[in-house]
């Protein structure tokens, strides 16, 4: 009974620090994460954009390999890969003919025994995470779930598609103050990072702007694609918006690692485009990480920080109204 | 031995032109058991009827078949004639040789033969007919009205004014229902309280109406004309007879920060309270969930201050038993609220409110005294977005139907807002405008043309807060579905109208059926819209489906007319064509095996369980029993019963089997 | 069973082909517009998602189906699933978009404005086909050749390399022969590229 | 076979189809005389053993007709009938009776013409099927 690990291509390249931080954290937690033997690319957006069978076959081969290796669940930290793998499992388990057809394509019998886990689910399943915290990550954070972690609800089925809370709860456990903000699940531009950088700059810009307006010190992500768009595409975003955003974008595992006292370098924080400045002392955030626009918190920011979604998601008179 | 008389009618030429009536009469006379067979020009004429009466007396007939027109036309005529001659009317049948024979076939032997077949069939049936006595049930001329909204109020007043007693039971401390919460009402924009309060007072003062407020139905047994109801009068924690309604207690109570139900959570009330100033009865109740004394054992300030010593902390609920002849359900509806619209931030942002909250904001008696101020910071909203169909027509949210009233009240809200904030900008996001009613379309047009409300056709996708404003993301589907954003100060959701939380429980208590959304089902969607499938229980108002005030009132008056009709006689006489369960001598008692398939199938909840006990009180078996007050004689149970233990009078197994055999020209002896 | 043979059913209405392949009924759409209101790229699209649904619904008018197939929309759709999550009729729009893209590709009806997007997808899959995994460096070069956007991202690549995010050599999967066969049986079998 | 005059029994409900057949008469529409009607309060009352009984005693065809769904005078009787009809079809098959000899239909009180049509169609249909000859077998099964 082992939990397998599917890194996915970007974690070997552009999102290297995600995998570095995940492995550092899992090691500190004493959890082994063996990689699925000889895994391949899940096909990402490109495959399902161009061919349905291919889009099912690539993930099916990965899952079949995991099954063969005796893995009963597979951790897929990249939200995009997670989506492809979940969708594939869902579709193949729901359609026997299709399952047989795809099994034929990948020359292996895919059975669907291995469950697919995203990073939030996996971390959420670790008991007593709080006790591992050495230096509370005492920062105001905006948890960014993006699209594929929570949607489509019928397939991923682990948090609600609007106003999700699971990541905020995790952040609370490590001492952070998760903000109530508006762009938790709005799209960052996803796979258009290279082909339509203009669109990515616009969509990601909206996300950063809201986080900054509400006084967030960092955006927490669980997807290399989100990170790429929000961090590496920062110059494009700033150019379009005509202003600077210094807010860092941090993988959930990096935040956790910092709280557990793991050395920033091991977490790959130096590889970010936007410098993560509160890596050492973990005390006060530098003023520079907040743009002038957020210096005077708006009414929204005030009420938002007042009741963080994790503890009182729906405070308000109408919710408590009697019959 | 049967002595059947057969009377064949010519109907002028209507029958005799195609059917050889003489031949039919001759053939009939040869059927075993037929003692008399004649034909005549007009059977329904006075001489025709007289012929039948004479024959019944002179020939000692045990049954009569009139071969003429459709029984739907003249069955009552001939049954009455038989009764007058001393023959039980249920021993008379009609053979339809006009509509089903002479009018639809050409003149021929085949047609005459068919007429003979029909006569033979009915003769076979009538031989198996049994004398039946009409069912008489006494009627208690008191009505129980459940729910004191506008529908319950109207029904109570109409019944009371017809001279009958009414017991009105209202769950809340005051009657008035949702209408009392409304500011102004469409399509005339007259003040809701102004037209409602006089009726509430009338209820309180009417000599024929007994009002039990702050009360609920415990149980209901019995059947039409003869119900027994148990009513729980919840403890108000004060002696209503002593309390003068001076209001000192409510002013002095130190526990004052409780969200007011009447103000839809936008205002506050004390622990001892009257829901609103015009309440009927105008006596407070102590809310034990919040009162400091009940929570912590200290305070009793109200007791000290009350000039009449009316407060009773140890008062207990009281159970009343009443007998009533009819029940009117008028328990109304609710609108959806709570955490069902996360993408709109409903329940999260203070300035995303629902329709009833807007009514309170607009009401001169509301928390802002009618000034348009938004809940979060009290500022006057400059831009207000109204979202129609919020949760209605939305299978994903579990509601497929249109809530019917919200298009109208949304137009009203936008208008009221504009009347109060002249420079304000009201926008309505809608899918369709449903304004079918007298002066309704004109009302909506006025909102657009005169008051300048901007209507945008499209459903809002998302609402979130940004810098103290609410960003509303919509699209105008009439403009290429281009997305658009409006920065609003206030958003009003026209949330779906839904059944009351307790609707299902109540339906089960009184045995009426309900639809998948827990709205009560009418007996027929077109022709019996105010009755339920349970005889003697009627519907009024929004408990049946979302509806506006005029419709609620019309239905309430309809229900009241039905009740008054029922109460117009002291006895209810019903045709005895109902089901009966087999009864036998011991040791069998009944062939019924107690499977109760029949009970589940009966649309009228007419089948009960009866325990058969020995002399020593030991339970021998449980069998089905038909309540003659409820059974409508549909026969569904009969077809379903595998042990053939339930039969229907007038359409019994024996009768219909005899008909089939006779029609196929096989005498009983042939089988 | 759903069929993926795009040509065989060409006489059938597009909406019915889509239904057959995806099980998603565009006909259930009642044009509320909530999808278009929430779609992050609706403003960029020639036909926002609700209009794509309507183009399909009018199945007796082949010219409308054609507009859906040739639309820029289907290539802009990010599969962000926002529309599906919020659609009151629970219509899986992204899935319809997938099916439309596949058909547009198979029938050579790709909107010219989608050229860069398509080039990127192809470069990506080529990389996967040959190595089994995405070789980012290789893909970027391939994409640049296809799209002819030579200057774009020139500034990013050296930086990525510096922080250790770009490798100069691809990782190769042992089972890449099998992957080659998978590609041959799927995408390649249907797509005829110049 | 042309001089074969089938015997068809129609089991109809009082509120819709019986009234519909009355309307056929009042409108003086003509139809085949091979059909005779037996009146029931509701299709829900129609026990399908009766249908077998009719076949066992020489009926060549049967019509069962009542109110349209949702129009039942007793609100749900016709749904029960429809449910039973589905079961009954299977039974007919099992007994070797051609299912086409039984017509299950909805005729409302306003559908006089539909009634005439239904009768003529059924008569024609049964005429083509020929006389029902399986009744000896049915009687052997004890249905008679
Ligand atoms: C925001 C809004 C605005 C509206 N504006 C208008 C308008 O301008 N014009 C218009 O014509 N209509 C309007 N309506 C519709 C109007 O409110 C209804 O038509 C009307 O209230 C229906 O009356 P009712 O008596 O059937 O139900 P209700 O008003 O709901 O009354 C039902 C009563 O029964 C009581 N009750 C419930 N359950 C029980 C129980 N188990 N036992 C005893 N008592 C019980 C309740 O406490 C309540 O007093 C509006 C509705 C809303 C939501
Ligand atoms: C095309 C169409 C389709 C419809 N479809 C449906 C439907 O599917 N479902 C539905 O629920 N409703 C439907 N309706 C509506 C339905 O017809 C009406 O609701 C219903 O007929 C109204 O009944 P009534 O008795 O009020 O009026 P009417 O049916 O008009 O009856 C009025 C009667 O009064 C008589 N009369 C008139 N003046 C006098 C006088 N001075 N003295 C004496 N007698 C007089 C008339 O001759 C007539 O017999 C439809 C209507 C139309 C036009
Ligand atoms: S009884 Fe009927 S058939 Fe005979 S005359 Fe009267 S209306 Fe005509
Ligand atoms: S103070 Fe006494 S009399 Fe006055 S309202 Fe309160 S309970 Fe009634
Ligand atoms: S005892 Fe309760 S109701 Fe009375 S004054 Fe005190 S808190 Fe108010
Ligand atoms: S009445 Fe209007 S707003 Fe209400 S559900 Fe129906 S269409 Fe929507
Ligand atoms: S179906 Fe027949 S046997 Fe069963 S309970 Fe009813 S009457 Fe008795
Ligand atoms: S005849 Fe109909 S109403 Fe009467 S008991 Fe049977 S099923 Fe119920
Ligand atoms: S949200 Fe759904 S129903 Fe509404 S327009 Fe879009 S696809 Fe159609
Ligand atoms: S899935 Fe596509 S169509 Fe739907 S909202 Fe996202 S981008 Fe728009």
């Amino acid at each position: 009974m082992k939990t397998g690990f599917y890194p996915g291509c970007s974690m070997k390249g552009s999102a290297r620090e995600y995998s570095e931080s995940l492995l550092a954290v899992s090691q500190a937690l004493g959890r082994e994460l063996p990689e699925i033997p000889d895994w391949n690319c899940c096909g990402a957006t490109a495959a399902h954009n161009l061919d349905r069978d291919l889009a099912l076959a690539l993930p099916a081969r990965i899952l079949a390999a995991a099954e063969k290796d005796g893995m009963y669940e597979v951790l897929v930290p990249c939200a995009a890969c997670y989506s492809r793998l979940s969708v594939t499992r869902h579709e193949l388990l729901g359609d026997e003919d299709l399952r047989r057809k795809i099994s034929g394509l990948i020359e292996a019998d895919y059975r669907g025994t291995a469950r697919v886990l995203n990073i939030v689910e996996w971390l959420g399943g670790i008991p007593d995470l709080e006790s591992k915290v050495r230096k509370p990550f005492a920062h105001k954070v905006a948890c960014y779930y993006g699209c594929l972690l929570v949607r489509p609800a019928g397939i991923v089925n682990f948090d609600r598609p609007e106003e999700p809370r699971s990541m905020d709860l995790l952040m609370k456990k490590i001492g952070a103050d998760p903000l109530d903000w508006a762009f938790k699940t709005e799209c960052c531009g996803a796979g258009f990072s290279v082909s339509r950088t203009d669109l990515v700059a616009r969509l990601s810009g909206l996300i950063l702007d809201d986080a900054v307006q509400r006084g967030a010190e960092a955006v927490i992500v669980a997807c290399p694609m989100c990170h790429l768009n929000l961090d590496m595409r920062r110059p494009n975003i700033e150019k379009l918006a005509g202003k600077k955003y210094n807010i860092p974008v941090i993988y959930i595992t990096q935040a956790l690692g910092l709280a557990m006292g793991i050395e920033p370098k091991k977490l790959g924080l130096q590889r970010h485009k936007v410098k993560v400045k509160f890596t050492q002392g973990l005390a006060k955030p530098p003023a520079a990480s907040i743009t002038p626009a957020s210096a005077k918190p708006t009414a929204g920011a005030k009420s938002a920080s007042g009741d963080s979604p994790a503890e009182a998601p729906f405070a308000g008179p109408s919710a408590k109204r009697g019959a | 031995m049967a002595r059947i008389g057969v009377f064949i009618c010519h109907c002028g030429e209507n029958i005799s032109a195609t059917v050889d009536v003489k031949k039919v009469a001759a053939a009939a006379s040869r059927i075993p058991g037929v003692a008399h067979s004649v034909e005549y020009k007009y059977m329904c004429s006075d001489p025709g009827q007289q012929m039948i009466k004479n024959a019944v007396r002179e020939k000692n007939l045990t049954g009569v078949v009139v071969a003429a027109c459709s029984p739907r036309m003249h069955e009552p005529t001939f049954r009455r004639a038989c009764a007058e001659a001393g023959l039980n009317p249920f021993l008379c049948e009609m053979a339809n040789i006009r509509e089903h024979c002479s009018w639809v076939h050409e003149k021929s032997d085949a047609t005459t033969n068919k007429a003979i077949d029909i006569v033979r069939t009915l003769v076979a049936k009538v031989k198996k007919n049994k004398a039946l006595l009409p069912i008489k049930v006494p009627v208690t001329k008191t009505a129980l009205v459940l729910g004191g909204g506008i529908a319950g109020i109207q029904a109570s007043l109409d019944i009371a004014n017809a001279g009958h007693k009414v017991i009105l039971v209202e769950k809340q401390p005051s009657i008035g229902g949702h209408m009392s919460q409304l500011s102004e009402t469409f399509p005339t924009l007259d003040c809701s309280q102004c037209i409602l309060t006089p009726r509430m007072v009338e209820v309180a003062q009417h000599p024929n109406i007994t009002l039990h407020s702050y009360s609920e139905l415990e149980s209901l047994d019995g059947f039409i004309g003869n119900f027994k109801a148990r009513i729980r009068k919840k403890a108000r924690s004060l002696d209503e007879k002593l309390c003068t309604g001076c209001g000192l207690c409510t002013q002095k109570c130190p526990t004052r920060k409780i969200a007011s139900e009447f103000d839809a959570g936008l205002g506050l009330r004390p622990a001892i309270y009257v829901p609103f100033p015009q309440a009927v009865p105008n006596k407070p109740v102590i809310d034990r969930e919040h009162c400091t004394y009940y929570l912590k054992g200290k305070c009793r300030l109200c007791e000290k201050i009350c000039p009449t010593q009316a407060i009773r902390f140890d008062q207990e609920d009281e159970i009343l038993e009443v007998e009533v002849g009819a029940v009117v359900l008028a328990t109304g509806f609710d609108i959806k609220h709570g955490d069902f619209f996360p993408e709109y931030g409903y329940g999260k942002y203070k300035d995303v409110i629902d329709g009833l909250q807007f009514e309170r904001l607009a009401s001169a008696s509301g928390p802002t005294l009618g000034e348009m101020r938004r809940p979060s910071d009290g500022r006057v909203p400059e831009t207000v977005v109204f979202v129609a169909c919020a949760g209605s027509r939305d299978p994903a949210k579990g509601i497929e139907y249109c809530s019917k009233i919200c298009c109208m009240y949304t137009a009203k809200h936008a208008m009221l807002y504009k009347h109060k904030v002249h420079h304000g900008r009201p926008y309505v996001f809608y899918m369709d405008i449903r304004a079918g009613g007298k002066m309704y379309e004109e009302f909506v047009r006025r909102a657009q043309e005169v008051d300048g409300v901007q209507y945008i056709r499209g459903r809002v996708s998302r609402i979130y807060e940004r810098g103290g404003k609410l960003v509303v993301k919509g699209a105008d589907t009439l403009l290429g579905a281009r997305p658009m954003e409006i920065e609003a100060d206030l958003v009003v959701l026209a949330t779906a109208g839904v059944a009351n939380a307790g609707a299902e429980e109540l339906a089960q208590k009184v045995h009426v059926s309900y639809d998948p959304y827990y709205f009560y089902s009418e007996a027929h969607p077109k022709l019996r819209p105010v009755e339920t499938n349970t005889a003697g229980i009627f519907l009024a108002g929004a408990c049946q489906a979302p509806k506006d005030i005029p419709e609620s009132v019309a239905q309430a008056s309809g229900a009241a007319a039905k009740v008054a009709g029922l109460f117009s006689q002291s006895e209810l006489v019903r045709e005895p064509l109902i089901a009966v369960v087999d009864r036998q001598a011991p040791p069998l008692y009944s062939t019924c095996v107690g499977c109760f398939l029949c009970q589940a199938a009966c649309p009228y909840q007419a089948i009960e369980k009866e325990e058969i006990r020995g002399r020593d009180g030991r339970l021998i078996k449980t069998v089905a029993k038909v309540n003659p007050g409820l059974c409508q004689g549909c026969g569904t149970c009969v077809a379903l019963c595998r042990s053939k233990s339930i039969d229907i009078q007038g359409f019994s197994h024996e009768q219909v089997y005899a008909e089939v055999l006779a029609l196929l020209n096989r005498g009983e002896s042939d089988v | 069973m759903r069929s993926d043979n795009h040509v065989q059913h060409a006489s059938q209405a597009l909406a019915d082909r889509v239904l057959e392949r995806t099980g998603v009924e565009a006909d259930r759409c009642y044009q509320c517009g909530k999808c278009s209101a929430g779609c992050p790229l609706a403003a960029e699209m020639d036909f926002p998602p609700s209009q794509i649904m309507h183009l399909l619904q009018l199945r007796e008018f082949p010219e409308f189906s054609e507009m859906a197939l040739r639309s820029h929309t289907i290539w802009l759709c990010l599969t962000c699933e926002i529309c599906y999550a919020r659609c009151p009729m629970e219509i899986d729009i992204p899935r319809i978009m997938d099916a439309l893209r596949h058909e547009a590709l198979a029938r050579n009806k790709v909107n010219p404005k989608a050229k860069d997007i398509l080039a990127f997808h192809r470069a990506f899959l080529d990389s996967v086909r040959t190595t089994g995994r995405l070789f980012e460096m290789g893909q970027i070069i391939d994409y640049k050749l296809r799209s002819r956007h030579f200057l774009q991202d020139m500034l990013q690549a050296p930086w990525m390399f510096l922080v250790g995010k770009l490798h100069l050599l691809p990782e190769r999967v042992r089972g890449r022969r099998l992957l080659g066969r998978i590609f041959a049986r799927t995408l390649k079998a249907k797509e005829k590229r110049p | 076979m042309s001089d074969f005059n089938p015997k068809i029994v129609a089991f109809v409900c009082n509120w819709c189809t019986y009234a519909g057949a009355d309307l056929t008469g009042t409108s003086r529409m003509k139809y085949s005389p091979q059909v005779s009607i037996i009146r029931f309060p509701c299709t829900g009352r129609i026990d399908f053993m009766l249908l077998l009984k009719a076949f066992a005693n020489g009926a060549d065809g049967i019509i069962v007709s009542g109110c349209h769904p949702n129009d039942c005078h007793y609100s749900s009787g016709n749904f029960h009938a429809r449910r039973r009809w589905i079961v009954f079809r299977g039974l007919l098959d099992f007994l070797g009776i051609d299912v086409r000899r039984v017509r299950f239909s909805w005729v409302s009180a306003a559908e006089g013409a539909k009634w005439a049509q239904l009768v003529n169609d059924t008569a024609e249909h049964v005429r083509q099927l020929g006389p029902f000859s399986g009744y000896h077998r049915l009687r052997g099964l004890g249905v008679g």
Side-chain angles (χ1 to χ4, degrees), chain B residues 70 72 105 114 644 651 666, chain D residues 14 22 31 35 47 57:
Chain B
S70 170
R72 297 171 59 85
H105 309 312
K114 178 172 169 181
K644 296 262 172 289
F651 295 95
R666 292 181 188 271
Chain D
N14 182 42
D22 277 359
Y31 58 80
V35 176
D47 171 356
N57 286 287

Side-chain angles (χ1 to χ4, degrees), chain B residues 577-579 598 601-607 626-627 630-638 646 648, chain D residues 74:
Chain B
L577 303 179
I578 59 163
C598 52
C602 173
Y604 301 97
Q605 282 84 35
I607 293 181
V626 176
N627 183 327
L630 296 176
C631 174
Q632 304 287 312
C634 69
T636 303
C637 54
V638 179
I646 192 160
I648 188 162
Chain D
Y74 302 102

